[in-house]
Every structure is written in structure tokens, then in C-alpha cells.
């Protein structure tokens, strides 16, 4: 038979609190990390976008010639070191802007199909017109 006292329960609770705090600290440190792993998506995205953009622009400006690849690499190696820090530094601002723009709309002020049908029925009744017969079933 196992005996538990208030002291052993308090100790277990304190241990679990310490473990959960350590896990939260670890998650926070990874999420706000300046390690290569946190920079990798931005490095790859800016690298690929600047590679394609400089190739298209060089091809439009110079055409295909014997020095195209060298000029393209020169342009890309000039643009990418500018694009990456700009994208990485602006990432928190862009994320905040994206969250603001994608907030859910209040259902009271949102335009819904049932709201449109209700206003349409009211306007039709107010004007003294008859509603056309419904060809498809409409849920009201």
C-alpha cells in the first residue's frame, strides 16, 4: 500500500512546475532564436526569389549571350545580401500586419447570405412586389 503525504504531493507539484517552466523557456528560446534554423526559411525564400528575379531581369535587359551566367550571378550575389537582412528584419512587422489583416470579422457586421435574403425580402415586400418562385431549395 502506498502512502502519500501532503509533503510528497507538494514536492511532486513543485517538480512538475519546474519541468513545465523549463519547457516553456526552451520553447520561447527556440521561437525567438537567432540561430540558423530560425533564419533558414527567410534565407531560402529570399535566395530563390532573388535568383529568379535577377535571372528574368538580366535575360530581359541583356538577352542570352556568352556572359549571361556570369552577369546573372554577379547581380544575384549583389541583390541577395540586401534582400535577406531586409526580409529578416521586417519579418516581425509583416507577421503583425498579417495577423491584423486576418482577424475574424464580427458576425454582427459581416455580410451573410441569410442577411442578404432577409433584406431582399423586406425590400420586395415594402415595394409591393411579389417574390419570384424559387427554382432551387433555399434554406431560411
Amino acid at each position: 500500500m502506498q502512502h502519500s503525504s501532503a509533503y510528497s504531493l507538494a514536492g511532486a507539484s513543485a517538480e512538475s512546475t519546474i519541468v513545465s517552466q523549463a519547457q516553456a523557456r526552451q520553447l520561447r528560446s527556440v521561437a525567438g532564436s537567432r540561430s540558423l534554423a530560425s533564419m533558414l526559411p527567410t534565407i531560402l525564400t529570399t535566395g530563390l526569389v532573388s535568383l529568379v528575379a535577377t535571372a528574368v531581369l538580366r535575360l530581359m535587359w541583356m538577352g542570352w549571350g556568352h556572359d549571361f551566367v556570369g552577369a546573372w550571378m554577379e547581380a544575384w550575389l549583389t541583390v541577395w545580401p540586401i534582400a535577406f537582412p531586409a526580409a529578416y528584419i521586417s519579418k516581425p512587422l509583416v507577421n503583425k500586419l498579417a495577423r491584423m489583416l486576418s482577424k475574424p470579422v464580427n458576425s454582427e457586421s459581416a455580410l451573410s447570405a441569410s442577411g442578404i435574403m432577409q433584406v431582399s425580402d423586406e425590400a420586395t415586400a415594402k415595394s409591393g412586389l411579389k417574390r419570384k418562385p424559387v427554382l432551387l431549395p433555399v434554406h431560411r
Side-chain angles (χ1 to χ4, degrees):
M1 185 163 130
Q2 189 176 13
H3 176 71
S4 63
S5 67
Y7 295 111
S8 64
L9 291 176
S13 175
E15 287 174 11
S16 65
T17 303
I18 291 170
V19 170
S20 64
Q21 288 174 349
Q23 288 173 343
R25 241 190 331 265
Q26 182 182 11
L27 288 175
R28 258 187 269 125
S29 68
V30 170
S33 171
R34 299 208 187 281
S35 69
L36 180 61
S38 70
M39 295 179 188
L40 194 58
T42 309
I43 290 171
L44 294 175
T45 304
T46 57
L48 184 63
V49 168
S50 62
L51 185 73
V52 171
T54 54
V56 169
L57 291 174
R58 280 289 164 180
L59 197 57
M60 286 173 45
W61 292 337
M62 295 175 40
W64 188 263
H66 68 280
D67 63 341
F68 172 76
V69 175
W72 172 31
M73 288 296 113
E74 181 182 353
W76 179 61
L77 290 173
T78 303
V79 169
W80 191 23
I82 297 167
F84 167 68
Y88 190 71
I89 290 169
S90 65
K91 191 175 180 181
L93 179 65
V94 170
N95 286 342
K96 185 176 181 179
L97 180 64
R99 279 192 304 273
M100 283 177 24
L101 292 174
S102 64
K103 279 185 181 174
V105 178
N106 184 1
S107 63
E108 300 284 325
S109 63
L111 188 61
S112 66
S114 62
I116 293 171
M117 293 294 287
Q118 182 181 0
V119 170
S120 174
D121 288 344
E122 289 172 7
T124 303
K126 202 180 274 188
S127 65
L129 300 174
K130 290 184 180 178
R131 216 175 102 206
K132 291 183 181 179
V134 178
L135 301 176
L136 297 174
V138 177
H139 302 285
R140 291 183 186 238

